[in-house]
């Protein structure tokens, strides 16, 4: 009966291994779901922030018809020392604003890349504000306030992109296990 006992022991070990494998797989699935939820929440925060950023840029540079005459009082002083920046900002804005409607269909990597482009646009706006000329209708306090607002957008976007990229990396690492 010695061989039969060994066989029975091996069969029990195999059953235990199968159970362990199932537990590990289940744990992995739970971990992936947690990461997916975090990615979804991070993306939602980013969408809200990006929508706000695009609206602020549109209002400041009166790009779309919606805000056409919002800045008539100070338009000539905005980025007066570098007027080419205005055209760069408008061009990037049109592209990114039109892509915004498709944002929820972006893959996580496309979404991260889109955030990078938004950060780039925000930094152009910061440059435009640094290249503005103060005037009675566009006082330095207003320029500084707008600059700080875009600096804050910049920092928030960098943080969100970093969170998203870390979550994407975590997902890939867990998925490979």
């Amino acid at each position: 009966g010695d061989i039969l006992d060994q066989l029975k022991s091996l069969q029990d070990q195999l059953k235990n291994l199968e159970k362990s494998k199932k537990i590990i797989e289940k744990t992995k699935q739970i971990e992936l779901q947690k990461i997916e939820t975090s990615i979804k929440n991070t993306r939602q925060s980013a969408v809200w922030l990006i929508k706000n950023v695009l609206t602020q840029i549109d209002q400041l540079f009166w790009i779309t018809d919606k805000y056409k005459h919002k800045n008539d009082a100070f338009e000539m002083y905005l980025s007066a020392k570098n007027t080419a920046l205005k055209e760069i900002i408008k061009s990037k804005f049109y592209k990114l604003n039109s892509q915004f409607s498709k944002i929820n269909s972006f893959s996580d990597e496309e979404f991260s890349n889109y955030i990078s482009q938004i950060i780039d646009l925000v930094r152009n706006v910061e440059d435009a504000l640094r290249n503005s000329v103060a005037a009675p209708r566009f006082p330095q306090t207003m320029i500084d306030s707008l600059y700080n607002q875009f600096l804050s957008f910049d920092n928030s976007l960098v943080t969100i992109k970093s969170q998203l990229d870390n979550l994407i990396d975590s997902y890939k690492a867990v998925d490979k296990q």
Side-chain angles (χ1 to χ4, degrees):
D2 218 15
I3 291 176
L4 286 176
D5 289 341
Q6 285 177 352
L7 195 60
K8 177 88 178 94
S9 171
L10 279 172
Q11 285 174 329
D12 289 345
Q13 286 174 27
L14 270 173
K15 278 182 192 163
N16 288 336
L17 273 173
E18 282 302 314
K19 279 183 195 166
S20 296
K21 208 173 132 185
K22 281 182 182 150
I23 290 168
I24 290 168
E25 189 55 38
K26 183 84 181 132
T27 307
K28 176 181 164 179
Q29 291 310 317
I30 290 168
E31 193 57 33
L32 288 174
Q33 281 170 348
K34 280 185 195 168
I35 297 170
E36 278 174 5
T37 301
S38 295
I39 287 175
K40 191 170 149 247
N41 293 340
T42 303
R43 282 180 62 143
Q44 281 173 342
S45 299
V47 166
W48 178 85
L49 180 60
I50 290 166
K51 186 171 180 48
N52 194 6
V53 167
L54 290 171
T55 300
Q56 295 299 322
I57 292 172
D58 192 8
Q59 287 180 1
L60 183 58
F61 291 89
W62 52 284
I63 302 171
T64 65
D65 289 340
K66 191 174 179 185
Y67 302 107
K68 200 63 182 165
H69 299 289
K70 185 119 168 82
N71 76 352
D72 278 355
F74 61 81
E75 206 277 325
M76 63 185 290
Y77 307 106
L78 182 61
S79 200
K81 293 183 246 175
N82 185 348
T83 52
L85 265 174
K86 283 186 195 175
E87 290 315 308
I88 291 167
I89 289 167
K90 284 180 184 177
S91 166
K92 287 181 182 179
F93 174 88
Y94 278 125
K95 178 181 165 239
L96 295 169
N97 195 47
S98 70
Q99 290 173 345
F100 185 78
S101 61
K102 301 187 272 296
I103 200 165
N104 290 319
S105 64
F106 291 171
S107 70
D108 293 332
E109 283 80 5
E110 288 169 336
F111 195 98
S112 177
N113 183 37
Y114 183 77
I115 296 174
S116 295
Q117 293 176 63
I118 294 286
I119 292 168
D120 186 48
L121 173 60
V122 166
R123 290 180 181 164
N124 289 147
V125 172
E126 291 166 21
D127 285 344
L129 289 162
R130 276 197 297 269
N131 280 285
S132 294
V133 175
R137 289 180 168 179
F138 198 44
Q140 192 61 47
T141 51
M142 185 177 175
I143 295 170
D144 293 345
S145 168
L146 286 163
Y147 181 81
N148 289 330
Q149 181 185 6
F150 280 94
L151 207 53
S152 170
F153 285 150
D154 189 335
N155 293 331
S156 299
L157 287 161
V158 167
T159 301
I160 281 184
K161 181 178 172 5
S162 172
Q163 284 172 344
L164 183 63
D165 291 344
N166 289 337
L167 287 165
I168 293 168
D169 291 345
S170 297
Y171 188 92
K172 287 177 183 167
V174 171
D175 201 31
K176 264 189 237 164
Q177 290 172 3

